[in-house]
Coordinates of all heavy atoms in Angstrom, one line a residue:
P1 N -0.4 -22.4 10.6 CA 0.2 -23.0 11.7 C -0.8 -23.1 12.9 O -1.7 -22.3 13.0 CB 1.4 -22.1 12.1 CG 1.6 -21.2 10.9 CD 0.3 -21.1 10.2
A2 N -0.5 -24.1 13.8 CA -1.4 -24.2 14.9 C -1.3 -22.9 15.8 O -0.2 -22.4 16.0 CB -1.0 -25.4 15.7
P3 N -2.3 -22.5 16.4 CA -2.3 -21.3 17.3 C -1.7 -21.7 18.6 O -1.5 -22.9 19.0 CB -3.7 -20.9 17.5 CG -4.5 -22.2 17.3 CD -3.7 -23.0 16.3
R4 N -1.3 -20.7 19.4 CA -0.8 -20.9 20.8 C -2.1 -21.0 21.7 O -3.0 -20.2 21.5 CB 0.1 -19.8 21.2 CG 0.5 -19.9 22.7 CD 1.5 -18.7 23.0 NE 0.8 -17.4 22.9 CZ 0.1 -16.9 23.9 NH1 -0.1 -17.5 25.0 NH2 -0.5 -15.7 23.7
R5 N -2.1 -21.9 22.6 CA -3.3 -22.1 23.4 C -3.1 -21.8 24.8 O -2.0 -22.1 25.4 CB -3.9 -23.5 23.2 CG -4.4 -23.8 21.8 CD -5.3 -25.0 21.9 NE -6.1 -25.2 20.6 CZ -7.2 -24.6 20.4 NH1 -7.8 -23.9 21.3 NH2 -7.8 -24.8 19.2
E6 N -4.0 -21.1 25.4 CA -4.1 -20.8 26.8 C -5.4 -21.4 27.3 O -6.4 -20.7 27.1 CB -3.9 -19.4 27.2 CG -2.5 -18.8 27.0 CD -2.4 -17.4 27.4 OE1 -3.4 -16.8 27.8 OE2 -1.3 -16.8 27.3
G7 N -5.4 -22.6 27.9 CA -6.7 -23.2 28.2 C -7.5 -23.5 27.0 O -7.1 -24.1 26.0
R8 N -8.7 -22.9 26.9 CA -9.6 -23.1 25.8 C -9.4 -22.0 24.7 O -10.2 -22.0 23.8 CB -11.0 -23.2 26.3 CG -11.2 -24.3 27.2 CD -12.7 -24.5 27.6 NE -13.6 -24.7 26.5 CZ -14.9 -24.9 26.6 NH1 -15.5 -24.7 27.7 NH2 -15.6 -25.1 25.5
I9 N -8.6 -21.0 25.0 CA -8.5 -19.9 24.1 C -7.3 -20.1 23.2 O -6.2 -20.4 23.6 CB -8.2 -18.5 24.9 CG1 -9.4 -18.3 25.9 CG2 -8.0 -17.4 24.0 CD1 -9.2 -17.1 26.8
A10 N -7.5 -19.9 21.9 CA -6.5 -20.0 20.9 C -6.0 -18.6 20.5 O -6.8 -17.7 20.2 CB -7.0 -20.7 19.6
W11 N -4.7 -18.4 20.6 CA -4.1 -17.1 20.3 C -3.3 -17.2 19.0 O -2.5 -18.1 18.8 CB -3.2 -16.6 21.4 CG -3.9 -16.2 22.6 CD1 -4.1 -17.0 23.8 CD2 -4.7 -15.0 22.9 NE1 -4.8 -16.3 24.7 CE2 -5.2 -15.1 24.2 CE3 -4.9 -13.9 22.1 CZ2 -6.0 -14.1 24.7 CZ3 -5.7 -12.9 22.6 CH2 -6.2 -13.0 23.9
Y12 N -3.5 -16.2 18.1 CA -2.8 -16.1 16.8 C -1.9 -14.9 16.9 O -2.2 -13.9 17.6 CB -3.8 -16.0 15.7 CG -4.7 -17.2 15.5 CD1 -5.9 -17.3 16.3 CD2 -4.4 -18.3 14.7 CE1 -6.7 -18.4 16.2 CE2 -5.2 -19.3 14.6 CZ -6.4 -19.4 15.3 OH -7.2 -20.5 15.2
G13 N -0.8 -14.9 16.1 CA 0.1 -13.8 16.0 C 0.4 -13.3 14.7 O -0.3 -13.7 13.7
P14 N 1.3 -12.3 14.5 CA 1.6 -11.8 13.2 C 2.0 -12.8 12.1 O 1.6 -12.6 11.0 CB 2.8 -10.8 13.5 CG 2.6 -10.4 14.9 CD 2.0 -11.6 15.6
P15 N 2.7 -13.9 12.4 CA 2.9 -14.9 11.4 C 1.7 -15.4 10.8 O 1.6 -15.7 9.6 CB 3.8 -15.9 12.1 CG 4.4 -15.2 13.2 CD 3.4 -14.2 13.7
H16 N 0.6 -15.6 11.6 CA -0.6 -16.2 11.1 C -1.3 -15.1 10.1 O -1.8 -15.5 9.1 CB -1.6 -16.5 12.2 CG -1.1 -17.6 13.1 ND1 -0.4 -17.4 14.3 CD2 -1.3 -18.9 13.0 CE1 -0.1 -18.5 14.9 NE2 -0.6 -19.5 14.1
L17 N -1.2 -13.8 10.5 CA -1.8 -12.8 9.7 C -1.0 -12.7 8.4 O -1.6 -12.6 7.3 CB -1.8 -11.5 10.4 CG -2.4 -10.3 9.6 CD1 -3.8 -10.5 9.3 CD2 -2.3 -9.0 10.5
A18 N 0.3 -12.8 8.5 CA 1.1 -12.8 7.2 C 0.8 -14.0 6.3 O 0.7 -13.8 5.1 CB 2.6 -12.8 7.6
R19 N 0.6 -15.2 6.9 CA 0.2 -16.3 6.1 C -1.1 -16.1 5.4 O -1.3 -16.4 4.2 CB 0.2 -17.5 7.0 CG -0.3 -18.8 6.3 CD 0.7 -19.3 5.3 NE 2.0 -19.6 5.8 CZ 2.3 -20.8 6.4 NH1 1.4 -21.7 6.6 NH2 3.5 -20.9 6.9
L20 N -2.1 -15.5 6.1 CA -3.4 -15.3 5.5 C -3.3 -14.3 4.3 O -3.9 -14.4 3.3 CB -4.4 -14.8 6.6 CG -4.9 -15.8 7.6 CD1 -5.7 -15.1 8.7 CD2 -5.7 -16.9 6.9
R21 N -2.4 -13.3 4.5 CA -2.2 -12.3 3.4 C -1.5 -13.0 2.2 O -1.8 -12.6 1.1 CB -1.5 -11.1 3.9 CG -2.4 -10.2 4.9 CD -1.6 -9.2 5.5 NE -2.5 -8.3 6.2 CZ -2.1 -7.4 7.1 NH1 -0.8 -7.2 7.4 NH2 -3.0 -6.6 7.8
T22 N -0.6 -13.9 2.5 CA 0.0 -14.6 1.4 C -1.0 -15.5 0.7 O -1.0 -15.5 -0.6 CB 1.1 -15.5 2.0 OG1 2.1 -14.7 2.6 CG2 1.8 -16.4 0.9
I23 N -1.8 -16.2 1.4 CA -2.9 -17.0 0.8 C -3.8 -16.1 -0.1 O -4.1 -16.5 -1.3 CB -3.7 -17.7 1.9 CG1 -2.9 -18.7 2.5 CG2 -5.0 -18.3 1.2 CD1 -3.6 -19.3 3.8
A24 N -4.1 -15.0 0.4 CA -5.0 -14.0 -0.4 C -4.3 -13.6 -1.7 O -4.9 -13.5 -2.7 CB -5.4 -12.8 0.4
A25 N -3.0 -13.3 -1.6 CA -2.2 -12.8 -2.7 C -2.1 -14.0 -3.8 O -2.2 -13.7 -5.0 CB -0.8 -12.4 -2.3
L26 N -1.9 -15.2 -3.3 CA -1.8 -16.3 -4.3 C -3.2 -16.6 -4.9 O -3.2 -17.0 -6.1 CB -1.3 -17.6 -3.6 CG 0.2 -17.5 -3.1 CD1 0.6 -18.6 -2.2 CD2 1.1 -17.4 -4.3
L27 N -4.2 -16.5 -4.1 CA -5.6 -16.7 -4.7 C -5.9 -15.6 -5.8 O -6.4 -15.9 -6.9 CB -6.7 -16.6 -3.6 CG -6.7 -17.8 -2.7 CD1 -7.7 -17.5 -1.5 CD2 -7.2 -19.0 -3.4
E28 N -5.4 -14.4 -5.6 CA -5.6 -13.3 -6.5 C -4.8 -13.6 -7.8 O -5.2 -13.2 -8.9 CB -5.1 -12.0 -6.0 CG -6.1 -11.4 -4.9 CD -5.7 -10.1 -4.4 OE1 -4.5 -9.6 -4.8 OE2 -6.3 -9.6 -3.4
R29 N -3.7 -14.3 -7.7 CA -2.9 -14.7 -8.9 C -3.4 -15.9 -9.6 O -2.8 -16.4 -10.5 CB -1.4 -15.0 -8.4 CG -0.7 -13.7 -7.9 CD 0.6 -14.1 -7.3 NE 1.5 -14.6 -8.2 CZ 2.4 -13.9 -9.0 NH1 2.4 -12.6 -8.9 NH2 3.2 -14.5 -9.9
G30 N -4.5 -16.5 -9.1 CA -5.2 -17.5 -9.8 C -4.9 -18.9 -9.3 O -5.3 -19.9 -10.0
H31 N -4.2 -19.0 -8.2 CA -3.8 -20.4 -7.7 C -5.1 -21.0 -6.9 O -5.8 -20.2 -6.3 CB -2.6 -20.3 -6.8 CG -1.4 -19.8 -7.5 ND1 -0.7 -20.6 -8.4 CD2 -0.7 -18.6 -7.4 CE1 0.3 -19.9 -8.9 NE2 0.3 -18.7 -8.3
T32 N -5.1 -22.2 -6.9 CA -6.2 -22.9 -6.1 C -5.7 -23.1 -4.7 O -4.5 -23.1 -4.4 CB -6.5 -24.3 -6.8 OG1 -5.4 -25.1 -6.7 CG2 -6.9 -24.1 -8.2
L33 N -6.6 -23.4 -3.8 CA -6.3 -23.7 -2.4 C -5.4 -25.0 -2.4 O -4.5 -25.1 -1.5 CB -7.5 -23.9 -1.5 CG -8.2 -22.5 -1.2 CD1 -9.5 -22.8 -0.4 CD2 -7.3 -21.7 -0.4
G34 N -5.7 -25.9 -3.3 CA -4.9 -27.1 -3.3 C -3.4 -26.8 -3.7 O -2.5 -27.4 -3.0
G35 N -3.3 -26.0 -4.7 CA -1.9 -25.6 -5.0 C -1.2 -24.8 -4.0 O 0.0 -25.0 -3.7
I36 N -1.9 -23.9 -3.3 CA -1.4 -23.1 -2.2 C -0.9 -24.1 -1.0 O 0.1 -23.9 -0.4 CB -2.3 -22.1 -1.7 CG1 -2.6 -21.1 -2.8 CG2 -1.8 -21.4 -0.4 CD1 -3.7 -20.1 -2.5

């Protein structure tokens, strides 16, 4: 998802970290980035 922006600074939160961990888990299960 798009980050929250304050001026030129992009801020990420726990949902972004959870999404990255989900992507890592799916990659470990053999899925492609296209499938993800």
